Amino acid sequence: MRSARSAREFAAVWDIATPARRGRLPGLGMAGFRARTPDFVELGVVPYPAVTVAVDLGDRSLAVDDDSGRRYDGSMVVGFGATGVRGRGRAVECLQLRLSPPVAHAVLGAAAELGGAVVSLDDLWGRDAERLRERLRSAASWDERFALAEAALARRYEAGRAVDPEVAFVWGQMVTHLGGVRVEPLADEVGWSRKRLWSRFRAQLGITPKRAAQLVRFDHAAHRLAAGHSAALIAAEIGYADQSHLHRDVRAFAGATPGAVSAAPWLAVDDVAWAAPAYLSATAVRPRRPVTPIPPVPSVPPAPPALPA
């Protein structure tokens, strides 16, 4: 297990840039990374509730291995809640774009529906990927890079397919309540059956509603672990049945113990790079539930006049 000290040392390896102000595209977080050392770096990715576009700004210095061991070089998309992913490289310089799943559906289309898969950005966007990469490499500053990237994603967002408003609402409730939601009441609230919500949510966001809620809760737990909170306290405060339930969730998502996750190098940069994660801040408007018209009350004919006594 890595110590907390080694996690801090890992964070010191990077120069990190973030936008000076919040962007105009809701559900998009951006951060730029440049290694301070030419040494080889390798780390495991702790799953988080977003879809990531990683644009390699070096000479194919970035590589990612998926959970099957397949390697992807250069720029890539890492799917929603990907597990078993490892990043590696030497003299890495990259722009990382984290998208909320509803935004990713519009921006990335079918790639957003692949769950935890890793996909080459060249395979997904073709020559547009290389054109964007070259423009980003030629930019004079990180702020210019952030503006270029946001503009490219905004164009795709406007032209893309929106998720069902019911799906967006359910995702927003998961984020608002840190994963502490039950699917059945949410399905009833949007006027859908549980089966329909399950089907549409999975088709559009790539994973089931239950696993999405679990991932949002795990993400909150992982950051509290990294902040030094005890596993027992976290389990008691954020909706786990008990501490062993938390251990099982952490093992399922990160393949490690809570102690190992608390010192994970991947989380060591989050206070700087993702201090206020925009990919978890998008809100959704509750869809209007269909209202069944109430039939008019039939008129009652007036009573006949009373007969004289």
Side-chain angles (χ1 to χ4, degrees), residues 15-214:
D15 284 323
I16 302 172
T18 57
R21 53 186 176 274
R22 184 178 290 276
R24 292 171 294 176
L25 182 59
L28 169 65
M30 299 183 285
F33 296 86
R34 180 185 291 118
R36 294 176 177 172
T37 171
D39 296 341
F40 182 78
V41 176
E42 180 179 2
L43 74 160
V45 176
V46 176
Y48 50 92
V51 177
T52 295
V53 178
V55 183
D56 183 9
L57 302 177
D59 295 318
R60 301 189 75 83
S61 59
L62 177 65
V64 166
D65 297 343
D66 66 15
D67 58 354
S68 69
R70 181 179 177 183
R71 180 165 299 179
Y72 299 80
D73 295 314
S75 303
M76 67 211 67
V77 176
V78 181
F80 182 18
T83 59
V85 174
R86 298 192 67 82
R88 64 186 74 221
R90 191 183 303 274
V92 172
E93 183 174 5
C94 72
L95 173 61
Q96 190 178 141
L97 311 168
R98 292 189 178 183
L99 290 75
S100 74
V103 172
H105 176 80
V107 170
L108 302 172
E113 301 161 11
L114 296 177
V118 180
V119 183
S120 166
L121 189 60
D122 290 338
D123 291 344
L124 183 63
W125 283 356
R127 298 188 64 181
D128 284 350
E130 183 59 26
R131 281 193 285 265
L132 175 61
R133 178 174 175 270
E134 289 305 317
R135 293 187 69 191
L136 293 172
R137 290 187 68 179
S138 301
S141 67
W142 278 110
D143 281 340
E144 185 179 349
R145 286 172 170 174
F146 295 140
L148 288 169
E150 183 178 27
L153 295 184
R155 286 192 296 271
R156 289 182 172 272
Y157 179 77
E158 292 299 328
R161 299 171 300 154
V163 298
D164 294 334
E166 292 84 356
V167 171
F169 172 73
V170 169
W171 169 253
Q173 290 298 293
M174 291 176 181
V175 170
T176 299
H177 298 286
L178 302 175
V181 296
R182 293 178 59 243
V183 176
E184 289 79 3
L186 288 176
D188 184 63
E189 192 165 356
V190 301
W192 280 0
S193 68
R194 178 184 181 278
K195 182 178 180 181
R196 177 168 175 77
L197 174 58
W198 201 275
S199 173
R200 297 297 293 167
F201 193 100
R202 185 169 188 172
Q204 295 181 3
L205 302 190
I207 64 176
T208 66
K210 181 178 179 180
R211 185 162 178 82
Q214 290 172 336

Side-chain angles (χ1 to χ4, degrees), residues 5 19 49 53 85 129 140 228 241 249 263 269 282 288 293:
R5 178 182 176 185
V53 178
V85 174
D249 241 24
V269 301
R288 294 182 180 275

